[in-house]
Amino acid sequence: MALRLVADFDLRKDVLPWLRAQRVVSEAAGAGGGGTDVLENDYESLRVLNVERNGNIIYTYKGDKGNVFFGLYDRQTRQNEHLYTFEKDLQVVSCSINSERTLLAASLVQNTKEGRRNELQPGSKCLTLLVEIHPVNNVKVLKAVDSYIWVQFLYPYVESHALPENHLLLISEEKYIEQYHIQVTQEDGNRVVIKNSGRLSKDRIAEDFVWAQWDMSEQRLYYIDLKKSRSILKCIQFYADESFNLMFEAPLDISLSDSGFKLVNFGCDCHPDQKKLSKHLTLCVFTNNTGSLCVCYSPKCASLEQITYSVFHIHKGHSKTFTAALGSAGSHVTKGVTFLNLDYYVAVYLPGHFFHLLNIQHPDLICHSLFQTGNNEMIAMLPHSPLQSLSGCLVLDCCSGKLYRALLNQSYLLRFLWNTCLDCEKMAVLHCVLSCGQGPRVLEAQIIQWVSENVSACHSFDLIQEFLIASSYWSVYPETSNVDKLLPYSSVLTWNTEIPGITLVTEDIELPLMKVHRFKGYWEKLNSNLEYVKYAKPHLQYNNSVVRREWHNLISEEKTGKRRSMAYVRNILDNAIKVISNLEARNLEPRLMPLLQEEDNHQRLLVGLMVSELQDHLLRHLQGVEKKKIEQMVLDYISKLMDLICRILETTWRKHNLHSWVLHFNRHGSAAEFAVFHIMTRILEATNSLFLPLPPGFHTLHTILGVHCLPLHNLLHYIDSGLLLLTETAVTRLMKDLDNTEKSEKLKFSIIARLPPLIGQKICRLWDHPMSSNIISRNHVTRLLQNYKKQLCMLLKDMTMWTQNL
């Protein structure tokens, strides 16, 4: 399965054995109650209540007398701790603990029989309490109302440290959110009590909302209120002190007027009344550290044949609505769509029907996302119970009490890459594997193996081009923000091929209105993304058009004997030397192929020009980044590009077990050599259209293999069409290796006739043959005549001037 769920916590394994052990100890001591009042058959009452920002998990269970116990599991120490016991038969709605584990907030409902009044607070359905638990001390009633209440402590820091004031959010079913400020003090040593217990100060955070989501990791509150039937998404950012800011307002083209009241990530809500509300409606907000902001929305299911969901890429300024055909015919949909945050991707799935991986970082083309319909493997791997997406890549199965870390399954994706026949799936999986690659060297080796054996398998795009561009991009992407706007991440500009079973509609959306003007961290990156959507036209992504033009100018100047200042050319060649040195330093294994071992000034000029132009491009648009960092990024990027080409060739060379004798001309080509020649030709075609540099020595090896494998007329056609470039090294070796038989002489003459004049003059002296002497003589006479013409012109000019003076 493309999604791998790694269990990070399990109530059965991490809590239940401790509870049973506590019971044994308690029975041996002849005591009862406390945290030990649990029977072997009471596991059904054990459930997770909340996962706090520091990873601690709060759970609850009931003893044989109906008492409610609260426990905490510390994921760092893997230790359990009993927090508090309510000696009443209560149902827990919500619970949270502060970071110091001194205060417990709980919202409870009395389990009343028919005709029996609530003993906790007459006339109220839900009671919200604040309990001092270090040590167990006073209990303060915060709310006693007829509506449900949810509680959540703010965690300004992940680290554990003492705070003079705690902040608690209260979320009411009556559609308002309040923040309580709780001052604490220490008495009698470690005894922590509430300082302002008589009257807690509070702020009204939000009201009249229909939906709210809590982001524990980033301490953000998202909520939606309705203004003139429009859904307005708002976000409040909480800070280390008691301050908070309304960050933005964003209109959403969805209707929530008849969807009831919905909360996301305010604890682990399993209350049956909540399940009745907005059945099958799913709405959640996902962000990542690159400044992305996505709203995922799936309305109530109205069809048994297809399901529709939308993703609002607010950081890109558009939304995408997908309509997916259900994979299992005749199977009824009993649960809604689940969205999971996987950093650069969002997983969307309906167990037994479909599983989609949506590319959030680059959503422009549908082929960058993966769409799979249901199969037995998918049904077996994904839980059928709803999963709750928490901060980061954590997901919680409330029904089983398991906390998972959701990861993309690289081994599955690599197998899928080998087996799939659809171009769209090859494209999607290639990007997916590269973006999440742990151990990139080993991972790339497997992808390179696949690329080298499937170079002609894709019809909608060039596989080598896509691999070179995508892998080079992801190798430098994490180093700095905004690189995705400046470097190409795909060789494909448009995609018109249909995806089986998927219909896509893309629409522009209104950009959010930022309510603050000074940004830090995530908000600075989001604002940068929004500014790019507003003002970045034309496209700022780098391309090699300037390099192409300048390179052709330099080659033309070389042919005519004119060359601009040596300092300019030397600087370009120095850039190439830096790239090759950087490339060699990163490669720890000796190379099998004779690459990077000759001058090949043309390729070195191309490498150096690309370094120069790419540096200028990034320096122009990457504001606030050090020049040295940009220079190193450019070296790494181009070194990566050339290293990938070398590794593709090395993989093919090693597969066919070729050796150094291939470099000699006095032998016939084999099927193995033809395979290497074929892939080199494909690499040349791929790089030529993008105007990417090749490792020095590439053209020499390509020419040698071409002489081995091609008939003479085909070889000459390849040379004339530019697919084979004659280098001085290759032709020198050809002249030395081949004898003077009629066939060899014909080949030598055909090659010499096609050489540039400067190289031809050097090569002719290596061929001891009348034809070579004839060419040398002819060239010598030509030069003499040219010099004579120049001298004659100068003489005539001088005579003309002398005559005029007379």
Side-chain angles (χ1 to χ4, degrees), residues 308-343:
T308 298
Y309 64 87
S310 300
V311 179
F312 295 83
H313 300 277
I314 293 180
H315 61 294
K316 295 287 188 179
H318 62 249
S319 69
K320 291 184 177 294
T321 299
F322 300 90
T323 301
L326 298 181
S328 302
S331 177
H332 295 291
V333 178
T334 58
K335 297 179 176 67
V337 171
T338 297
F339 296 98
L340 299 180
N341 187 12
L342 300 174
D343 203 8

Side-chain angles (χ1 to χ4, degrees), residues 59-76:
Y59 54 86
T60 183
Y61 56 92
K62 289 187 178 182
D64 56 345
K65 297 179 182 178
N67 297 341
V68 178
F69 300 91
F70 291 88
L72 180 141
Y73 178 79
D74 190 321
R75 285 173 56 215
Q76 291 184 347

Side-chain angles (χ1 to χ4, degrees), residues 365-366 492 494-499:
L365 298 180
I366 190 173
V492 178
T494 58
W495 186 273
N496 299 319
T497 308
E498 291 186 2
I499 308 292

Side-chain angles (χ1 to χ4, degrees), residues 477-541:
Y477 174 75
E479 295 182 19
T480 185
S481 59
N482 294 327
V483 170
D484 58 324
K485 306 175 186 67
L486 303 176
L487 288 178
Y489 52 84
S490 175
S491 64
V492 178
L493 300 178
T494 58
W495 186 273
N496 299 319
T497 308
E498 291 186 2
I499 308 292
I502 294 293
T503 303
L504 171 64
V505 176
T506 302
E507 297 178 314
D508 291 336
I509 60 175
E510 294 183 47
L511 294 179
L513 175 64
M514 303 302 293
K515 307 296 286 187
V516 296
H517 301 289
R518 298 182 64 184
F519 305 101
K520 293 189 301 183
Y522 166 82
W523 297 109
E524 183 178 10
K525 295 176 182 177
L526 174 62
N527 188 62
S528 174
N529 289 335
L530 297 177
E531 293 295 307
Y532 177 77
V533 173
K534 290 179 186 176
Y535 305 115
K537 293 179 180 180
H539 220 26
L540 295 180
Q541 281 187 358

Side-chain angles (χ1 to χ4, degrees), residues 125-190:
K125 180 174 69 173
C126 185
L127 189 67
T128 305
L129 304 175
L130 184 62
V131 185
E132 297 169 353
I133 59 172
H134 191 70
V136 173
N137 196 34
N138 296 324
V139 176
K140 178 177 177 55
V141 177
L142 295 180
K143 291 281 184 180
V145 292
D146 255 349
S147 58
Y148 286 109
I149 298 289
W150 289 262
V151 290
Q152 178 61 62
F153 274 105
L154 299 183
Y155 276 64
Y157 301 106
V158 176
E159 299 84 3
S160 177
H161 61 284
L163 292 175
E165 189 170 70
N166 288 266
H167 308 287
L168 177 70
L169 294 181
L170 259 70
I171 304 91
S172 172
E173 195 179 15
E174 294 180 349
K175 301 180 181 179
Y176 66 84
I177 300 176
E178 294 178 334
Q179 179 183 200
Y180 280 76
H181 307 287
I182 307 161
Q183 298 178 7
V184 294
T185 185
Q186 287 188 347
E187 295 181 356
D188 301 333
N190 293 327

